[in-house]
Amino acid sequence: MEPATLDYSLSPVNKSAIAEAFGKAAGNYDSHAAFQREVGARLLKFLPSDIRGKTVLDLGCGTGYFAALLRQRGANVICCDLSKKMLERAKRRCGVSKMRYQQGDAESLPFASQSIDLVFSSLALQWCNDLSVPLREMRRILKPNGGIYFSTLLDGSLCELKESWKAIDEYQHVNDFYRIDEINIALAQSGCRPSQLDLPTITVWYNSAFSLMRDLKGIGASYVQGRSQGLTSRSMLLQVEQAYQRFRNHKGLVPATYQVCLGVIHI
């Protein structure tokens, strides 16, 4: 029997549109990124306790929040991001001591083979078309006994927002995310054998659906694969807000549920 494969050919990801969306959000990203920091903090706990002198690639570094923490622990950090403006924000935060900055795509990393000790990549890989490609690339650049520490979103994330939009129209307004079986197939295709996969559910509570959508736009997650090109009117957003009310709890708050995959791969 031939090994299972995934066909991503029908839904290519527009990397330039993703970079543009994150670039526009770079200036205000940090004020909307509480969930991203929660996930990154959980992932950071999986790293070795002593990373002094190690070369660590922060892949999808954003504004450099976690790169700064990695450097505080003594690592030599390489910030890599699809967005030039995000890299500029990271450089403004972290400076140049023990830091390098490189614009690049996770699916074609601009680094030599066996040149990196550890890869830290939090909530970046869901923007890749074929997950096995960045996993294979990360494996290529790692030195022997290196490690990959990644997080990504799974199917079921933002289910409340997706269901609320479905009550309004038939178009795609929320991205689809990897299923866990797709994660496992991509790991096998890339030759990566995880030593740990944690699958937490994280719920963020908001005063309104507007607040959630403001955060999503604020971090740059406004690119949606397959979305209709028409503008979203305020009346439509009001309808989404109304549809979202069925998820409101007894405290008057509405949830945004995320299914997260935290992975550790030792090479």
Side-chain angles (χ1 to χ4, degrees), residues 203-208 211 247-250 252-257:
T203 303
V204 183
W205 294 93
Y206 287 92
N207 289 320
S208 66
S211 298
F247 299 109
R248 191 174 292 278
N249 70 3
H250 66 284
L253 301 175
V254 295
T257 301

Side-chain angles (χ1 to χ4, degrees), residues 179-230:
R179 303 187 309 271
I180 188 58
D181 63 306
E182 292 177 322
I183 299 283
N184 287 323
I185 290 171
L187 286 165
Q189 288 178 336
S190 63
C192 293
R193 181 175 298 177
S195 61
Q196 184 169 352
L197 279 182
D198 282 6
L199 307 174
T201 298
I202 300 175
T203 303
V204 183
W205 294 93
Y206 287 92
N207 289 320
S208 66
F210 279 134
S211 298
L212 164 61
M213 290 186 282
R214 191 178 301 116
D215 269 359
L216 293 174
K217 183 177 180 180
I219 63 164
S222 53
Y223 169 80
V224 177
Q225 229 171 312
R227 192 204 325 242
S228 168
Q229 297 302 308

Side-chain angles (χ1 to χ4, degrees), residues 61-90:
C61 65
T63 61
Y65 178 83
F66 289 104
L69 296 179
L70 291 165
R71 185 181 61 177
Q72 286 177 16
R73 292 173 58 177
N76 299 305
V77 184
I78 302 174
C79 287
C80 183
D81 203 278
L82 199 61
S83 167
K84 182 179 179 181
K85 290 186 178 179
M86 282 292 189
L87 284 173
E88 291 170 354
R89 298 295 297 191

Side-chain angles (χ1 to χ4, degrees), residues 1-57:
M1 181 181 295
E2 294 185 359
T5 59
L6 300 178
D7 181 7
Y8 297 88
S9 60
L10 297 179
S11 54
V13 174
N14 186 333
K15 292 294 182 70
S16 61
I18 294 170
E20 181 180 359
F22 278 99
K24 288 179 179 178
N28 298 308
Y29 178 94
D30 289 324
S31 61
H32 296 278
F35 168 70
Q36 286 67 29
R37 290 189 179 180
E38 165 72 14
V39 174
R42 293 189 185 206
L43 185 61
L44 205 60
K45 292 178 181 179
F46 292 140
L47 268 69
S49 58
D50 186 2
I51 58 173
R52 288 173 296 178
K54 299 289 187 181
T55 299
V56 180
L57 172 64

Side-chain angles (χ1 to χ4, degrees), residues 18 25 34 50 56 74 107 117 137 153-154 160 164 193 206 245:
I18 294 170
D50 186 2
V56 180
E107 294 183 271
D117 291 300
E137 277 289 274
L153 296 180
L154 294 176
E160 300 92 353
S164 297
R193 181 175 298 177
Y206 287 92
Q245 296 310 302

